Amino acid sequence: MRITELFDNGEFVVTAEVGPPKGIHIDGMVEEAKKYLSGVHFVNVTDNQSSVMRLGSLATCKVLKDAGLNPIFQLTCRDRNRIALQSDLLSAAMLGIDNILCLTGDHTKLGDHPQAKPVFDLDSVSLLYAASLLETGKDLGGNDLVGEPPKFAKGAVVSPCSDSVDAQLVKMERKVAAGAEYFQTQAVFEPEKFIKFMEQAKQFGKPVQVGIIIPKSAGMCKFMNKNVAGVHIPDALIEELQADKEKTKAGITGVEIAARIIRECKPYCQGVHIMSLGWEDKIPALLEQAGLK
């Protein structure tokens, strides 16, 4: 099932993100996904998130698909050239994994192998174009594919709360022109900025899922404010997390904040994308409080 089919049917689409383990033992992750993510439509699988080496996204997608879940294959340009990227896209299609999310990727210096050489032969826009071209039966070299070409539901990312909204709208327009069919946003903590952005983004006519992170602590929020581009967590939310440390430690406050943001943003978007960052067990409560169960 392609995510675009649900959008076309007018459904409010819920996705959640999982990170493959740093090793080959995946049974625990799969069981947690089956237990806690049964209430979401699709499961994004990160691709060496934050430039930290992990089990591959494509292999993890296949395991999740075999377990009865609907995976979204995240694909970054950081570690592969255009030959490898196109090859992985074809491999995904051959395995029946046709939901993709195209990203440029974090620089290698941010991860656990800072000495690794980054590739960035393509960026997210040209990767979307490559996927679109494969759908016509051609590769980036102009060569014909053998047999029937693949078909993908092609996703991209946008940062609605960035300081430069105009630049984000330009990037969004370029991604739509390259073939993007839906968008997932960077984490939103300021619904008013998201709503204002969506008023302008609706000109592109593409479904947008608001990105949600369950805030774990005031320290986490301060770190994100300092280090994560396109994200700003207001002081009022940080104070809310500091008010009752035991409640915050248990995840109760973070779930309340995330659910409130979803409820405020829901009328202005077509879905929600949850980046739980290891708190997959909090997702059922989040969905219930947000009215999405």
Side-chain angles (χ1 to χ4, degrees):
M1 177 172 60
R2 296 190 187 110
I3 190 171
T4 46
E5 296 174 30
L6 297 189
F7 287 127
D8 290 343
N9 290 335
E11 292 198 43
F12 191 82
V13 180
V14 181
T15 58
E17 194 170 273
V18 297
K22 195 176 181 68
I24 62 173
H25 301 289
I26 198 172
D27 290 349
M29 192 208 79
V30 173
E31 289 306 310
E32 282 198 354
K34 289 166 65 176
K35 181 177 181 181
Y36 299 120
L37 305 185
S38 60
V40 309
H41 295 99
F42 294 88
V43 179
N44 282 49
V45 182
T46 60
D47 181 16
N48 294 318
Q49 186 177 13
S50 302
S51 296
V52 174
M53 190 284 296
R54 295 173 178 269
L55 182 66
S57 176
L58 182 53
T60 305
C61 283
K62 179 62 167 66
V63 173
L64 291 176
K65 181 178 175 64
D66 290 345
L69 298 166
N70 295 314
I72 295 177
F73 175 33
Q74 291 194 5
L75 190 61
T76 67
C77 301
R78 174 190 57 243
D79 307 315
R80 313 164 180 82
N81 66 13
R82 66 190 64 195
I83 297 172
L85 287 166
Q86 292 176 99
S87 178
D88 279 354
L89 285 168
L90 292 180
S91 296
M94 186 270 292
L95 293 171
I97 297 164
D98 48 12
N99 295 293
I100 62 172
L101 189 76
C102 298
L103 305 118
T104 300
D106 298 316
H107 198 281
T108 54
K109 66 182 180 182
L110 301 175
D112 64 347
H113 287 64
Q115 73 276 22
K117 182 180 291 186
V119 181
F120 297 119
D121 183 23
L122 303 180
D123 63 9
S124 57
V125 176
S126 48
L127 178 56
L128 284 162
Y129 175 73
S132 299
L133 199 59
L134 291 175
E135 292 177 318
T136 71
K138 296 277 189 181
D139 67 14
L140 282 174
N143 307 297
D144 293 328
L145 303 183
V146 176
E148 186 167 344
K151 175 60 183 171
F152 303 104
K154 302 179 294 296
V157 172
V158 67
S159 297
C161 298
S162 169
D163 290 336
S164 180
V165 172
D166 289 342
Q168 287 299 312
L169 290 167
V170 169
K171 288 181 181 179
M172 194 173 182
E173 184 176 25
R174 290 180 61 214
K175 290 176 181 181
V176 170
E181 297 171 281
Y182 70 96
F183 286 85
Q184 296 178 343
T185 81
Q186 175 62 283
V188 169
F189 291 95
E190 300 171 288
E192 65 282 358
K193 284 189 176 181
F194 175 77
I195 293 167
K196 186 176 180 180
F197 177 86
M198 287 301 299
E199 286 298 318
Q200 299 178 75
K202 64 184 180 183
Q203 64 182 296
F204 304 121
K206 299 299 178 184
V208 175
Q209 293 177 275
V210 60
I212 297 293
I213 287 178
I214 303 171
K216 295 183 178 182
S217 67
M220 169 190 173
C221 294
K222 292 174 182 177
F223 176 86
M224 291 181 68
N225 278 345
K226 185 178 293 187
N227 296 284
V228 181
V231 172
H232 174 70
I233 304 171
D235 291 341
L237 293 188
I238 295 176
E239 291 169 6
E240 190 174 344
L241 290 162
Q242 291 174 322
D244 187 332
K245 292 185 179 179
E246 289 303 313
K247 187 179 173 185
T248 295
K249 186 177 179 180
I252 297 171
T253 305
V255 167
E256 289 174 351
I257 290 171
R260 187 169 68 238
I261 293 170
I262 292 172
R263 291 194 301 269
E264 290 183 46
C265 295
K266 187 175 184 290
Y268 303 93
C269 59
Q270 291 72 46
V272 59
H273 176 58
I274 303 166
M275 295 162 275
S276 55
L277 305 180
W279 267 11
E280 287 80 12
D281 61 325
K282 304 292 188 292
I283 289 180
L286 173 59
L287 297 179
E288 185 169 1
Q289 291 189 36
L292 299 175
K293 192 170 182 180

